[in-house]
Amino acid sequence: MSGTDSRKKLIAEGPVVILVNPQMGENIGGAARAMANFGLAELRLVDPRDGWPNPIAKANAAKADHIIDNVQVFDLLEDALADLQFVYATTARQREMLKPVRGPAEAASTLRTRHRAGERTGILFGRERAGLESVEVALADEIVTFPVNPAFASLNIAQAVLLMSYEWMASGEIELPIHQPPSEPAEKDDLFGLFGHLEGALEDMHYFRPSHKKATMVENLRNIFQKAGLSKQEIHALRGVVATLEGRKTRPRRQHGDEGA
């Protein structure tokens, strides 16, 4: 999936994303893109290795300019967190500290609740190679960790931001961007017409063998189509298929009350 749509409302809210000492512009740009995909808007950098602004980050942000152009840069993590009221630190390592540990869905739900209450919140992400130091995790209120392969637990920063951004969006009441067009459910009479048509065609092809099992075979077939919850359009399509297999140019129309096709 790609591109933006200027005709649609841009969602830009939620917790601040803080990257500590990010080393690669590609990851900063990827993080910004992930944030934009899922409605987050405020990105802060603490002591980025290559300084700021970073043209590589902008190139990799896939036009998430509303985020990249408003990045705030801090020398100290304490300054980046100063105006926030509740912060999660992301880590995959066991920490020797008494701090609650949450999964991403639970953490996102907590962030959503606090956001609705008007609180300023944030999510803290560490360095590409080493993650967050314990002294940095200690500045957060709680830890959020991901259910990953224990033998391969290290996540790329942009991937970690993507996961938390998705959970943030999923915790809200946002409609999906595409919708299944409505279809008219079939009436039972339509379904009975399909039964008669199909069973008549199968009878002509000597499908019901041995004959004493025909009733059970018919019952099984009818149960299959009953459970499918077919629409009128789908029944019309199926009857067209049966008519084609019969060698007819058009499917027969079943009149109300007819028993066969």
Side-chain angles (χ1 to χ4, degrees):
M1 294 184 290
S2 63
T4 58
D5 191 338
S6 60
R7 298 169 298 176
K8 296 181 179 179
K9 178 184 176 182
L10 178 67
I11 301 172
E13 59 179 13
V16 177
V17 170
I18 306 106
L19 308 184
V20 177
N21 193 211
Q23 299 166 324
M24 299 179 65
E26 292 88 344
N27 285 333
I28 298 172
R33 179 177 185 175
M35 291 169 62
N37 286 149
F38 297 105
L40 299 180
E42 191 171 347
L43 177 61
R44 298 179 181 180
L45 309 179
V46 178
D47 187 26
R49 183 190 66 182
D50 297 333
W52 194 261
N54 186 319
I56 296 176
K58 191 174 182 71
N60 281 270
K63 298 184 179 180
D65 295 339
H66 64 291
I67 296 176
I68 289 292
D69 292 343
N70 292 288
V71 164
Q72 292 179 277
V73 181
F74 299 84
D75 293 328
L76 300 175
L77 177 56
E78 288 87 344
D79 293 337
L81 302 179
D83 64 331
L84 304 182
Q85 296 163 292
F86 185 88
V87 176
Y88 274 109
T90 60
T91 183
R93 300 203 311 270
Q94 182 68 42
R95 305 284 179 163
E96 298 301 323
M97 61 180 70
L98 296 175
K99 196 176 291 292
V101 179
R102 314 294 184 188
E106 183 182 7
S109 178
T110 296
L111 290 168
R112 178 71 65 175
T113 299
R114 290 178 175 273
H115 172 74
R116 287 171 177 159
E119 293 186 28
R120 292 277 286 158
T121 62
I123 313 171
L124 191 57
F125 297 86
R127 303 156 186 81
E128 284 91 335
R129 291 185 178 181
L132 292 169
E133 296 177 0
S134 291
V135 67
E136 294 162 341
V137 174
L139 296 178
D141 297 278
E142 297 185 358
I143 290 172
V144 58
T145 194
F146 303 100
V148 293
N149 182 349
F152 201 81
S154 177
L155 283 175
N156 172 276
I157 290 177
Q159 292 174 329
V161 173
L162 175 67
L163 287 173
M164 281 307 302
S165 299
Y166 167 78
E167 292 293 352
W168 162 260
M169 179 67 86
S171 70
E173 298 176 354
I174 305 300
E175 291 188 5
L176 296 176
I178 58 175
H179 304 275
Q180 178 67 33
S183 59
E184 183 183 0
E187 296 175 354
K188 290 300 182 185
D189 196 53
D190 297 314
L191 195 59
F192 298 156
L194 172 63
F195 293 163
H197 187 185
L198 176 60
E199 291 158 16
L202 292 174
E203 185 71 65
D204 292 341
M205 297 298 294
H206 308 291
Y207 172 79
F208 297 112
R209 294 181 293 175
S211 58
H212 69 272
K213 291 189 176 181
K214 177 180 176 179
T216 300
M217 296 170 76
V218 166
E219 181 179 306
N220 289 338
L221 285 171
R222 292 186 176 190
N223 281 332
I224 290 171
F225 290 110
Q226 289 278 13
K227 289 189 291 185
L230 298 171
S231 67
K232 279 182 173 290
Q233 182 179 0
E234 289 168 335
I235 285 183
H236 291 163
L238 286 171
R239 294 201 64 177
V241 169
V242 177
T244 300
L245 294 176
E246 290 178 309
R248 305 186 191 185
K249 294 182 179 180
T250 59
R251 69 169 181 81
R253 293 184 175 274
R254 178 183 181 275
Q255 300 298 319
H256 182 74
D258 287 351
E259 294 298 329

